[in-house]
Amino acid sequence: MKNFIFDIYGTLVDIRTDEHSETFRREFQRYFRQVCDKEVDFWGPYEQLIRVCEQPYGEIDFIAIVKQIAADGGVNLSDGTAWEVAAHFRELSRSRLLTYPGVPTMLEGIRQKGGKLYILSNAQASFTLKELEELKIKQYFDGIELSSDFGEKKPSPAFFRHILNKYALDLSECIYIGNDFACDILSSKAAGMKAAYIRSNISPAEDDLARAAETADFATDDYSCLVEYLLGLLH
């Protein structure tokens, strides 16, 4: 095996966010008005735009949404300011961010043995790239493909084809690693990849490890076992 393609949240990174907290929403609204220097409501337009984007495989771009809300309120935000707004949004809503046990060691081990590392994940670039840097794991990856950039999210078949085509990856040498049975395992297997499932603390509640083991090439709820399995695939 040469190419190891990872999901991020719930697979490599343990995160806690609460975008519905009244305290968070109140604090962010206050901040957004300060940025716009006028009374511009964020949450009403935000909920409407999110609903408009809800479609099969549809994905939002948080930066575009921030700029649209501001523009509708008569304010022209630069890309740089919109990225600052996104960073503040994430930091205010987030209470936990760390890698799972053994993740940096695993990534380093795969690289040292000649493996290539990629990310294919449902995530916002304006949140995720900074978090990967904060966690000091961004540098391990040969390619990072996020749904906010592509415009579709897993389980989109086109999203899986995208990473294969962009990096000219040999399908027979690819394994996808994720913590969501339907989104990660069924989809990557349908794309023709091998798949490894990790049942983590933020896997979907309906996920069943035994069922995942029937479909995935490997399934576990123990990160040390996942690390051992993946490193053992390198020849």
Side-chain angles (χ1 to χ4, degrees):
M1 194 59 58
K2 296 180 180 177
N3 306 308
F4 297 76
I5 308 172
F6 286 89
D7 169 59
I8 301 175
Y9 301 110
T11 300
L12 297 173
V13 177
D14 186 2
I15 191 168
R16 293 288 187 282
T17 63
D18 185 358
E19 296 178 7
H20 299 286
S21 160
E22 291 184 8
T23 299
F24 159 65
R25 291 197 163 211
R26 184 171 58 252
E27 290 181 0
F28 183 78
Q29 178 64 72
R30 185 184 305 117
Y31 164 80
F32 190 68
R33 286 172 178 161
Q34 291 173 348
V35 169
C36 293
D37 198 26
K38 64 184 298 187
E39 292 294 315
V40 178
D41 177 52
F42 180 82
W43 291 109
Y46 178 76
E47 297 293 351
Q48 291 180 351
L49 289 168
I50 292 293
R51 284 194 293 271
V52 168
C53 293
E54 288 180 349
Q55 54 183 307
Y57 309 143
E59 180 62 293
I60 67 167
D61 178 353
F62 190 80
I63 295 298
I65 283 181
V66 166
K67 294 184 71 174
Q68 182 66 56
I69 293 172
D72 290 346
V75 179
N76 183 25
L77 292 185
S78 68
D79 286 346
T81 299
W83 276 75
E84 291 174 4
V85 169
H88 196 67
F89 179 99
R90 184 66 153 195
E91 288 167 3
L92 278 178
S93 66
R94 192 182 68 210
S95 59
R96 182 179 178 88
L97 180 72
L98 69 162
T99 57
Y100 286 106
V103 164
T105 301
M106 173 183 67
L107 299 177
E108 180 67 32
I110 290 173
R111 288 295 298 267
Q112 287 182 352
K113 289 190 172 186
K116 296 288 187 179
L117 292 165
Y118 300 92
I119 283 173
L120 182 78
S121 193
N122 292 349
Q124 293 293 310
S126 53
F127 302 161
T128 299
L129 296 178
K130 187 171 184 286
E131 289 175 342
L132 293 176
E133 289 175 351
E134 289 177 7
L135 293 168
K136 297 181 173 27
I137 60 173
K138 184 173 180 283
Q139 71 274 13
Y140 289 113
F141 293 95
D142 299 280
I144 298 174
E145 301 303 316
L146 305 177
S147 57
S148 67
D149 293 330
F150 184 66
E152 292 187 16
K153 61 187 176 183
K154 298 178 296 181
S156 165
F159 197 21
F160 282 91
R161 289 195 298 269
H162 165 70
I163 195 168
L164 295 171
N165 294 335
K166 181 173 180 177
Y167 300 100
L169 303 181
D170 182 345
L171 186 60
S172 68
E173 291 287 355
C174 292
I175 184 168
Y176 190 83
I177 305 96
N179 74 303
D180 184 316
F181 176 68
C183 193
D184 296 331
I185 305 308
L186 292 180
S187 300
S188 58
K189 292 296 288 185
M193 298 181 186
K194 289 186 180 298
Y197 173 81
I198 175 70
R199 176 148 178 71
S200 72
N201 57 329
I202 53 177
S203 289
E206 65 271 18
D207 275 13
D208 179 77
L209 184 59
R211 183 185 176 206
E214 293 174 356
T215 303
D217 296 275
F218 179 78
T220 186
D221 58 2
D222 185 325
Y223 270 87
S224 62
C225 292
L226 177 65
V227 173
E228 182 179 4
Y229 171 75
L230 294 178
L231 291 177
L233 293 177
L234 291 153
H235 39 71

